[in-house]
Amino acid sequence: MMFAKQVAVITGASSGIGWALARELAAQGCKVGLIARRRKKLEELAGEVRSAGATVALAVADVAERESTLAAFRQIAAELGSTDLLVANAGVGTPTLLDPMNTADVEKMIRVNLLGVIYSIEAVRPDMLRRGRGHVAAVSSMAAYKGLPAESGYCASKAAVNTYLEGLRLHLRGRGIAVTTICPGFVRTPMTSVNPFHMPWLVEVDDAARRIVRALRRRKKVYNFPWQMSLLMWATQWAPDWLVARVMGPYAENPPRAPKT
């Protein structure tokens, strides 16, 4: 297995896709490094992974804080060695309100969703460049492809991740470092659990982790899934504004808020 004995570090590992990815990569033979804000949840996951026979290390950090993030990666490297695979998965979602504007919430979201990815890449890229190998991946979203009412901040943060990784991939061409952008549709996680509407083509989190790991194995540049949602988002880009506003009107009037963790 190509992942055997590699060091994979996952941010946002304390729940959702990050949690499932940690278990899946451990099952593939990886040594896994876990980074998130909630120590108790990380310890719970670490115990589960260790009981399955994998090697694991954990560090507590808020990826919105640069020094905290860099220190966490140094701690993981001291225990497991150099990172072979980074999955910058940590992310949050909060609606963008009109009146009053919740600018502080949007700013925090952008720090986590965008700067958290950049800080995580900063932590591993120098060593990957020295060794001439590595794999950098980030979990973005289908929301990156279309600005949506009441979600403009979230969509913007994910679009920025896609653009940043695209430029990075081109910049690293020929350096032996792969870059993968992962754009899921709806996945059953705590973040989507508050959605009051039917989520089309909802993917269970363990299935999402398996799909992502397959894409990482193939070193895909961009992985959008499920394909049905990808097709819908492509069509939405060409839909007239009045139609998108009408369809999403009820949501935009009363957008749900994910529970704070």
Side-chain angles (χ1 to χ4, degrees):
M1 293 185 294
M2 70 169 293
F3 290 116
K5 297 184 180 180
Q6 288 197 356
V7 175
V9 182
I10 305 149
T11 68
S14 60
S15 67
I17 292 174
W19 183 293
L21 274 174
R23 295 192 305 181
E24 183 65 22
L25 287 167
Q28 296 284 329
C30 280
K31 302 175 183 178
V32 291
L34 313 174
I35 297 175
R37 291 178 295 114
R38 295 177 289 175
R39 177 175 292 277
K40 183 174 290 188
K41 296 297 291 184
L42 286 180
E43 289 173 346
E44 181 183 342
L45 174 58
E48 182 179 333
V49 171
R50 287 192 186 102
S51 68
T55 302
V56 60
L58 64 88
V60 176
D62 180 349
V63 298
E65 303 297 331
R66 179 171 177 259
E67 292 305 323
S68 172
T69 302
L70 297 179
F73 275 90
R74 287 194 296 268
Q75 181 180 333
I76 296 290
E79 295 186 49
L80 299 182
S82 297
T83 300
D84 298 296
L85 168 65
L86 163 68
V87 184
N89 163 76
V92 295
T94 192
T96 304
L97 307 180
L98 285 181
D99 187 19
M101 288 182 64
N102 57 331
T103 303
D105 292 337
V106 173
E107 180 182 6
K108 171 67 174 179
M109 178 169 55
I110 290 172
R111 292 191 67 84
V112 173
N113 292 357
L114 174 60
L115 293 180
V117 170
I118 294 172
Y119 298 154
S120 299
I121 293 172
E122 178 188 6
V124 302
R125 188 167 60 183
D127 191 55
M128 287 185 178
L129 284 171
R130 281 193 296 270
R131 293 186 296 144
R133 68 179 187 275
H135 194 164
V136 169
V139 176
S140 182
S141 170
M142 291 277 191
Y145 297 119
K146 177 69 177 179
L148 299 171
E151 293 293 345
S152 52
Y154 181 75
C155 294
S157 71
K158 294 301 188 178
V161 169
N162 285 24
T163 302
Y164 183 87
L165 291 182
E166 181 179 32
L168 180 64
R169 183 171 60 251
L170 293 171
H171 201 176
L172 290 173
R173 186 173 176 82
R175 302 290 189 97
I177 302 171
V179 178
T180 299
T181 308
I182 301 159
C183 295
F186 291 112
V187 178
R188 195 187 302 277
T189 67
M191 195 166 85
T192 61
S193 66
V194 299
N195 290 340
F197 55 86
H198 169 70
M199 292 178 280
W201 305 293
L202 179 67
V203 178
E204 297 299 327
V205 71
D206 289 337
D207 183 25
R210 287 189 292 269
R211 295 185 192 209
I212 291 169
V213 170
R214 284 197 298 269
L216 294 173
R217 185 182 295 115
R218 296 196 298 269
R219 298 170 82 85
K220 288 183 70 69
K221 296 176 182 177
V222 179
Y223 179 49
N224 302 313
F225 74 98
W227 67 266
Q228 299 97 326
M229 193 67 187
S230 180
L231 184 61
L232 176 62
M233 290 306 296
W234 176 84
T236 302
Q237 292 178 69
W238 302 101
D241 286 356
W242 68 263
L243 179 59
V244 177
R246 181 174 180 178
V247 169
M248 292 198 64
Y251 174 88
E253 287 300 316
N254 188 28
R257 289 176 175 267
K260 292 186 177 182
T261 57

